[in-house]
Amino acid sequence: MAMITLDVAAPCSANAEVEFSHAGLRFTERLNENGNGSYELPALMKDAKIVARLADGAFTEIDLTIPDAGLYRRAALVWEGATGLQLHAFEEGADYGGAGHIWAEAPGSTDRIIQGQGGFVTMLGSVSQGYAADVYTYPATMMRSMSGPEISIESQVLETTCNVPVAGTFLRANGSTAPVESSVSISAPGCDAIGEFLVLQGLPQDLKIALN
């Protein structure tokens, strides 16, 4: 399913943070006490370049060819720090909490694609002040066999974000060409709204998921 397994070995960097980047996708993870880590990354392009960078500036990069990347469509939301941002996908007109509502708390699984039921979400990033991302993957054939998934970008108002604009980046990938990138900005209300959810209204046209 055009997934990349990243194995990192940095024995001199125990418990260090490592930032990954790939075609506009960014996320930060922490290595273990031996300086090792293993992570799964959805490929956004057939010709994929991945860069891994440590806080001290040391980095490595790798180029891969992912032959089946064009069989899948991906939507990704990237942010930095605690923003409360969330990516929601609604398949076949699903309602909140329904079987086709796919997001971080109901991410689905790869079995959904195998069985032709829909897609799944991959959550990336485990460092609180680092980069993080939600990536929704679904088969390209889903655009032909059923109504295309609707995407919602939401943000929960937190103590750290009330009265502060929340920003992120939305990526739309067809697996062949470079992802289409759009900036996302949500103005958070006052701190009396902590716990409430904001929905980005009036998504620009290039945020719409399309086959081409």
Side-chain angles (χ1 to χ4, degrees):
M1 296 177 194
M3 298 291 289
I4 301 168
T5 298
L6 302 172
D7 292 317
V8 180
C12 297
S13 300
N15 302 307
E17 295 180 9
V18 57
E19 181 185 310
F20 297 95
S21 59
H22 160 57
L25 193 63
R26 301 176 74 176
F27 63 101
T28 309
E29 304 285 1
R30 187 176 299 279
L31 302 177
N32 65 19
E33 64 275 10
N34 297 315
N36 298 327
S38 184
Y39 316 98
E40 279 208 321
L41 166 67
L44 301 190
M45 296 180 64
K46 176 182 177 181
D47 297 315
K49 177 186 288 290
I50 302 102
V51 178
R53 187 180 303 273
L54 295 170
D56 63 6
F59 73 96
T60 188
E61 60 184 32
I62 187 169
D63 294 296
L64 298 172
T65 298
I66 314 298
D68 59 347
L71 299 178
Y72 305 96
R73 301 294 180 260
R74 288 183 158 127
L77 182 62
V78 183
W79 64 89
E80 183 179 11
T83 64
L85 282 171
Q86 302 170 353
L87 182 71
H88 294 253
F90 299 89
E91 301 168 349
E92 294 192 279
D95 292 325
Y96 276 88
H101 176 201
I102 309 300
W103 65 299
E105 293 190 13
S109 68
T110 55
D111 290 341
R112 300 187 79 246
I113 287 183
I114 295 172
Q115 298 168 8
Q117 297 175 337
F120 64 94
V121 166
T122 305
M123 288 78 71
L124 303 170
S126 59
V127 178
S128 60
Q129 296 304 312
Y131 284 94
D134 288 346
V135 184
Y136 170 61
T137 298
Y138 63 99
T141 54
M142 194 169 154
M143 297 299 299
R144 301 184 179 94
S145 61
M146 62 182 77
S147 59
E150 294 290 332
I151 297 296
S152 173
I153 295 175
E154 305 183 12
S155 178
Q156 184 176 21
V157 182
L158 309 173
E159 290 184 3
T160 54
T161 62
C162 57
N163 287 316
V164 178
V166 173
T169 301
F170 181 85
L171 303 169
R172 173 168 51 84
N174 62 18
S176 299
T177 58
V180 176
E181 183 174 318
S182 301
S183 297
V184 173
S185 181
I186 301 177
S187 296
C191 294
D192 56 343
I194 289 175
E196 295 182 5
F197 288 85
L198 306 174
V199 179
L200 182 63
Q201 299 291 339
L203 295 180
Q205 188 61 36
D206 62 358
L207 287 188
K208 303 296 184 183
I209 295 211
L211 180 60
N212 296 318

